[in-house]
Amino acid sequence: MHQPPDPAADSGAARVSGVSGIPRVGTQRHGAACQARVAGSGPDHGPDAGAVSRLAVTVEHLRRELDRAHAGAAGRSLVEVAAGVLIERLRCGPTEAVAQLTSLAAQAGVPLLEFAADLVNQASADRISAIARDFVTTTAERADPAALRLRSAEARTLAGADTEAAARSMLEHALRPLGAVAVAVWAANPDQSLTLAGSAGFGEAEAHRWRHVPPGVATLARRALDERAAVQYATPAEAVPPSIGQHELTGGRLAVPAGIGGRLIGVLEICWSGPLPARSQSLQRQFEALAGLCAATLETWPADEASADEPDPHLADLRRLTDGVLDPCLILQLAPGGGEGLEFLIRHVNPAFVDFAGRPAGAVAGARLLEAYPLAAEPGGLAEKIEHVFATGEPFRTRSMRLAATVDGVALHAQAQVSIGRHGSQVLVVWRLDEGTPRVARLLQHAQRLGRIGGFEENLRTRQIVWNEAVFDLHGLPPSAAPIAVEQLADHAHPDDRPAIDRFLRTLLHHRRPASTAFRLHRPDGVARHIRVVAEPVHAPGTGLTTVRGAYQDISAQHWTEVALAATRDQLAQSEQQSAERSRLALQLQHAIMPPARGPLTLHDLLVAVRYRPAEKGHLVGGDWYDALALPTGEILLCVGDVAGHGIEAATGMVALRNALRGLAATGAGPAQLLTWLNSVTHHLTDNVTATAVCGLYDPLTRRLRWARAGHLPPVLLRDGHARTLPQPGGILLGVLDHADYAENELRLQVGDTLVMFTDGLIERRDESVQASLTSLLAVTEKAGAPGGEGPGDLEAHLDHLLRYSGSDTDDDTCLVGVTVREAAPLREAA
C-alpha cells in the first residue's frame, strides 16, 4: 500500500518538540542548497541577463520547495491535531504532548503519522473515524489502513493552496491505492453549469477544454447532481455520457455528489484505467468521505477563481478573433490577488500558437505570464511592455524583440516581431517568430537530454557550486542534495579510476589547462555509470584562477558499445581464421579432383581439353566441375556443372555430384535419364544443394552426340568458322524438386567441329543480359577459330583465347571443356 510520508522519518524523534508541534523540516538546509546551486553567472554573462536568469532558476527551485513544504505541512497538521487531543485528555502543555505522542508511537512500533491518525480517529466522530472503527476488527486490514489514507488525504487536502492541490492529494494518497488513475472535482454553479475546480491525472489541454460545462450538457457529474446519488459505469462497453478524459481513459468511472448540510455544491468524479473495483460498503463509505472533503474545499473555493471561468463576452469575442489569426496569440488578464505588482494570467492561446521554448500550448495556457516566461521580467522585456500597454492603453509594436524562457534550467532565446494591445480588461500579445526559431528552440531544449550532458560551475573561493538538473540526474542525487566538488570526484568513483581523476585535477587546477577524463561513478542508489567530465579553468584578470566550469556526460551506452564492438572484433577475427581455413580446405579438395589446367586428352576421335579458372578472390571457392570419361559401353561422357554457392559446402557438393554422375553413367542410360537420377541424388542425398549441369554422350562409331541440360547454358558449336549455340532442351535445376523429367537432343558431329561446354562464370556481366553475353561469346569463338587466328586445330589456344577475351566482370569460377572431332585415332584411356 502507498504509505504517506512519515514526519518522524524526516526529522527524527529527537526533533519533535516545540509549541507548534512538528518543526519545519530542513528549511535552512534546502535554502542553502538552492542558493549554492544558483551562484554567480560567471564573467561571460551580462549583469542584467545573468541576474534575471538566476532569478528564473531560483523561482523554479522555490516552487519545488513550496510543494515539498505543503506536503510536510499536511503531515505536521495531522500530528498537531493528535497533540491537541493529548493536551485535552492529559491536561498537559504542547511540548509534553508532542513528546508523549512520539514516545507512544515508538512503544507501539508504528510510524508517528500513523499513530497520530489512529489517535485522531478515536477522538473524532466523522465518517473517517467510522471507517477506522470498521477497519480495526481484523489484523489483515492493517496492511491497508483505509482510515490512515483518508486522514492523510484530509490533512493534505485542507493544507493545500486550492482545489487543484486538493485533487492531487486525494488521488495520490487515497485513490491510487484503490487503482484509480485520475480524479476531477466539479463545482456546481447556480445557473446549472459546472466548473472544473480541480483535477489530477488528466493532461493540461484536456483539463483546459473542460474548465466550464454549460447548462444542459448531460455529463456524468450532472447526472449525479440531478439524481443526488452516486452514478457509475463498470466497463467501457457501457453507454456513458460525455465527460473529461473520455478519450484518454476508457475504464470504469464513478461520480459522487459532494454536499454540506444537505446542500449539494459539487461532484467528485473518479476514473480507472480498467473496470471498477468490486463494489463494497467500505469502499462506498470511503468515496463518500472523500466527497465530503471535496465539499469542504469547494465551500472555501475563492469566488474570484470561479468567476474567472465564467463566460466573459469580451473574452469570448477576443478568443474568436484570435482563433482566426495565423500568428501566435496570447490573451492575458490581470491575475486576482496579484499583490503590489501587476501579474497577468494567460487566459487563452490560439490554435496557431507556437511556444519558442518547444513546450505544448497546454503547458502555457492557464499559467501566469512570469511562471511560463520568467525571463520576460528582464529590464525592457516583454513584461514591462505589457504593463505599460495595460496602464496607458497605448499599443506597442516592434519588429525585433528578444523573447526568453527557461526550460529545465536552460535559457532559450528567440527573436520575434511583437504587437501588444489592450482590449477592455484583456491584453492581446501577438508575436511572429523569426524563420527557424521554433526549430532551433526545440533542438536546444532536447540537446542536453539526448546527449545526457549536464553543465556545472564551481567557484573555488566561495565554494559555491552550480549544477543544472541533468547533473543531479547523472549523479543519482535529488535536486535538494548538495553538489559534489570536482576535488571530491575520486571519493565517488571506482578505486581503479583514482589515478585518472588525479591527472585530470592536476592538469585543471595546478597547470590550469582544460582537461577531460572518464571514470566509473558509484551513485548512492548502487548504480554504476560511466561518466566523462570535461572542464576548463576561468581566470579573472589580476586575481588568477577563480572558477572551474565544465560538463558531465553519461557515456555508459558508448562504453558498453565499445565493449561489445571489441568482443565482436575478436569473434570476427576468429571467424575470419575459420573461414580462411575452410576456404583452404575447399581449394585443396577442388584442386585434388580438378587441377586448374591439364594437358589435352584423346578419346577415340575426340581431342578433349579443359580449363578451370578459380574465382579471383581466394575465399570464393566455387562448385564448378567438369568430366570427360570413356564409358564401358564405348561412349564418351562429356559434362559440365555448377553447384550454387561458394566454400566447403559447394566443393563437397561438387564432389558428390561428379562422382554420382560417373557411377550412374556406367549403367548405359541416356543423358536425360542420367540427369533425372542425378536430380534425385541432389534432392535427397545432399543438404540444400542446387546445381546446373549439361550432360552429353558421344558415340565414336556414329559421331552422334546426345545431350541434355538442367538449367545450364547450352554448348557452343564452331563449324566451318561459324559459331552457334545448340538448341536448349527443357530441364529444371538439379535438387529443386523430388522428381523432374529432362528433354534430350541429338546432333551429328563432323570432322573439324569444335564443341565448347562452359559454366556461367565465362560470360556473366553485370551490365548485360545472358543472351547478349552469349552473342558476344559467339563472336569471340568465331575469331578464335578463324584462319590466321590462334589456329583452328589448336584446341588449347582456342580455350585460352575464350578465357582471355570473354568479357566476364564477375568473380565467379569458370570451367570449360573443349572437344574437337578429328579423324579416327588410336584409343587412349582417360586418366
Side-chain angles (χ1 to χ4, degrees):
M1 187 200 76
H2 177 79
Q3 289 285 357
D6 183 5
D10 234 354
S11 59
R15 298 180 60 187
V16 184
S17 60
V19 176
S20 61
I22 303 299
R24 297 187 180 274
V25 181
T27 303
Q28 295 180 353
R29 175 174 62 84
H30 291 301
C34 176
Q35 184 178 3
R37 297 203 308 274
V38 294
S41 60
D44 293 342
H45 303 283
D48 292 339
V52 175
S53 178
R54 292 195 300 275
L55 177 61
V57 176
T58 303
V59 170
E60 292 184 6
H61 289 307
L62 290 179
R63 187 182 297 113
R64 287 191 289 269
E65 295 286 345
L66 183 61
D67 293 338
R68 287 192 290 269
H70 281 311
R76 287 192 298 273
S77 64
L78 184 58
V79 174
E80 289 170 358
V81 172
V85 173
L86 290 181
I87 292 173
E88 190 275 332
R89 290 185 177 181
L90 302 179
R91 303 295 180 182
C92 61
T95 303
E96 296 178 24
V98 173
Q100 183 68 16
L101 182 65
T102 305
S103 176
L104 293 174
Q107 294 176 13
V110 297
L112 178 61
L113 191 63
E114 185 175 340
F115 186 83
D118 289 343
L119 186 59
V120 172
N121 290 333
Q122 294 175 13
S124 302
D126 58 357
R127 291 178 175 175
I128 300 179
S129 60
I131 294 174
R133 285 190 291 273
D134 293 341
F135 270 73
V136 298
T137 57
T138 65
T139 58
E141 279 97 358
R142 175 59 67 183
D144 181 21
L148 173 61
R149 289 191 286 102
L150 294 175
R151 194 64 73 183
S152 299
E154 177 189 43
R156 285 165 173 79
T157 298
L158 298 180
D162 51 20
T163 310
E164 187 79 16
R168 291 195 300 267
S169 299
M170 283 188 287
L171 176 63
E172 294 299 326
H173 302 286
L175 293 173
R176 282 203 188 279
L178 300 178
V181 295
V183 63
V185 179
W186 301 94
N189 300 321
D191 61 352
Q192 300 297 310
S193 66
L194 295 175
T195 300
L196 184 62
S199 64
F202 302 103
E204 294 186 11
E206 181 71 7
H208 181 74
R209 285 194 294 267
W210 285 87
R211 279 191 168 187
H212 182 79
V213 179
V217 179
T219 63
L220 190 69
R222 182 75 261 168
R223 180 181 166 190
L225 286 173
D226 294 341
E227 298 182 8
R228 304 183 66 86
V231 178
Q232 70 178 34
Y233 66 89
T235 63
E238 297 184 16
V240 296
S243 188
I244 181 174
Q246 60 186 354
H247 301 298
E248 300 175 1
L249 304 172
T250 57
R253 193 169 293 224
L254 172 67
V256 184
I260 294 180
R263 180 171 57 93
L264 296 183
I265 61 176
V267 177
L268 171 64
E269 185 172 345
I270 309 170
C271 305
W272 283 262
S273 59
L276 285 172
R279 188 169 184 177
S280 65
Q281 183 178 4
S282 61
L283 282 180
Q284 184 65 27
R285 296 177 66 180
Q286 292 182 52
F287 297 142
E288 292 174 355
L290 291 175
L293 295 179
C294 292
T297 60
L298 292 173
E299 185 72 13
T300 58
W301 194 39
D304 52 0
E305 285 193 29
S307 61
D309 283 327
E310 292 179 359
D312 184 343
H314 298 289
L315 178 60
D317 293 340
L318 196 56
R319 282 183 174 180
R320 285 192 292 269
L321 174 65
T322 57
D323 287 348
V325 178
L326 298 180
D327 291 326
C329 299
L330 300 90
I331 301 178
L332 308 180
Q333 192 172 42
L334 194 64
E340 298 182 359
L342 296 179
E343 294 188 33
F344 292 92
L345 186 68
I346 302 176
R347 291 300 308 276
H348 178 68
V349 295
N350 68 339
F353 176 78
V354 176
D355 178 45
F356 61 90
R359 295 169 296 187
V364 177
R368 295 176 182 261
L369 176 66
L370 293 183
E371 288 180 355
Y373 302 102
L375 297 183
E378 59 186 359
L382 183 65
E384 182 178 304
K385 303 302 181 184
I386 293 174
E387 291 177 1
H388 178 78
V389 171
F390 183 79
T392 64
E394 300 176 357
F396 171 81
R397 294 187 65 185
T398 180
R399 290 188 175 275
S400 179
M401 173 180 280
R402 191 182 76 155
L403 304 179
T406 57
V407 178
D408 296 333
V410 179
L412 304 176
H413 301 88
Q415 293 294 326
Q417 301 179 33
V418 178
S419 174
I420 307 174
R422 177 174 175 177
H423 301 266
S425 60
Q426 285 87 28
V427 176
L428 176 62
V429 180
V430 183
W431 64 45
R432 177 178 294 176
L433 300 174
D434 288 348
E435 185 73 21
T437 299
R439 182 172 64 255
V440 174
R442 287 192 293 271
L443 291 175
L444 291 176
Q445 178 185 6
H446 298 295
Q448 283 188 320
R449 178 181 61 85
L450 295 176
R452 296 190 61 80
I453 301 175
F456 71 91
E457 186 173 275
E458 180 176 345
N459 191 312
L460 299 178
R461 296 181 177 179
T462 63
R463 295 302 174 184
Q464 288 184 331
I465 305 173
V466 178
W467 276 11
N468 65 359
E469 298 297 330
V471 180
F472 284 97
D473 292 337
L474 292 180
H475 284 260
L477 297 174
S480 59
I484 300 172
V486 291
E487 294 179 345
Q488 300 173 354
L489 282 181
D491 299 334
H492 301 270
H494 193 281
D496 295 343
D497 296 332
R498 180 178 288 272
I501 295 178
D502 290 341
R503 288 193 298 270
F504 163 76
L505 295 176
R506 185 166 56 252
T507 303
L508 179 67
L509 303 178
H510 178 66
H511 299 292
R512 298 183 180 181
R513 296 198 305 265
S516 66
T517 189
F519 63 95
R520 287 163 288 181
L521 175 68
H522 284 174
R523 307 197 326 175
D525 55 8
V527 177
R529 307 295 295 178
H530 291 262
I531 302 295
R532 177 176 295 279
V533 57
V534 182
E536 64 176 1
V538 179
H539 303 275
T543 59
L545 180 62
T546 59
T547 306
V548 172
R549 62 189 174 196
Y552 292 98
Q553 182 181 16
D554 189 345
I555 59 172
S556 300
Q558 176 183 348
H559 169 77
W560 292 117
T561 300
E562 292 175 352
V563 171
L565 183 59
T568 302
R569 286 197 187 103
D570 294 341
Q571 294 177 355
L572 181 60
Q574 182 179 3
S575 299
E576 288 179 348
Q577 182 178 1
Q578 294 175 351
S579 178
E581 182 66 21
R582 289 167 59 89
S583 296
R584 185 183 62 82
L585 293 175
L587 191 60
Q588 289 179 349
L589 176 61
Q590 191 179 56
H591 287 180
I593 298 175
M594 291 185 309
R598 58 187 299 182
L601 178 68
T602 300
L603 296 174
H604 295 283
D605 59 345
L606 295 184
L607 181 65
V608 182
V610 297
R611 287 293 184 269
Y612 176 74
R613 181 178 63 190
E616 294 183 7
K617 296 181 180 179
H619 64 281
L620 296 177
V621 178
D624 288 15
W625 53 278
Y626 60 87
D627 207 354
L629 177 68
L631 299 175
T633 60
E635 293 181 312
I636 298 173
L637 173 67
L638 301 171
C639 58
V640 171
D642 185 1
V643 176
H646 297 84
I648 190 68
E649 291 82 4
T652 54
M654 172 268 293
V655 173
L657 296 187
R658 185 172 184 265
N659 292 338
L661 184 57
R662 277 196 169 196
L664 294 172
T667 63
Q673 182 62 52
L674 291 179
L675 290 184
T676 300
W677 289 339
L678 191 61
N679 174 74
S680 298
V681 172
T682 308
H683 186 80
H684 292 287
L685 300 184
T686 56
D687 185 16
N688 298 323
V689 171
T690 58
T692 63
V694 57
C695 177
L697 289 177
Y698 175 72
D699 185 358
L701 297 179
T702 61
R703 289 180 179 164
R704 184 182 63 167
L705 174 68
R706 292 179 298 155
W707 67 285
R709 55 182 287 274
H712 202 84
L713 295 171
V716 172
L717 175 66
L718 178 63
R719 175 178 291 177
D720 298 330
H722 298 285
R724 63 182 177 89
T725 58
L726 298 186
Q728 301 188 38
I732 195 172
L733 292 173
L734 297 175
V736 175
L737 301 176
D738 183 15
H739 177 78
D741 293 323
Y742 296 90
E744 184 177 301
N745 275 5
E746 182 177 318
L747 173 69
R748 286 191 178 274
L749 297 180
Q750 301 175 8
V751 175
D753 287 351
T754 298
L755 185 71
V756 179
M757 298 179 177
F758 55 92
T759 56
D760 53 5
L762 179 66
I763 65 169
E764 275 187 333
R765 290 189 59 87
R766 297 181 178 90
D767 58 348
E768 284 187 357
S769 64
V770 174
Q771 187 59 43
S773 298
L774 281 173
T775 303
S776 300
L777 177 63
L778 294 179
V780 174
T781 302
E782 290 180 353
K783 185 176 180 181
E790 284 78 358
D794 192 349
L795 181 59
E796 290 192 279
H798 185 96
L799 297 184
D800 291 337
H801 184 89
L802 293 181
L803 286 175
R804 186 178 305 117
Y805 297 105
S806 63
S808 172
D809 63 355
T810 62
D811 295 332
D812 202 0
D813 301 42
T814 300
C815 180
L816 290 90
V817 174
V819 176
T820 296
V821 181
R822 308 195 309 177
E823 294 293 343
L827 294 179
R828 175 183 172 187
E829 282 296 329

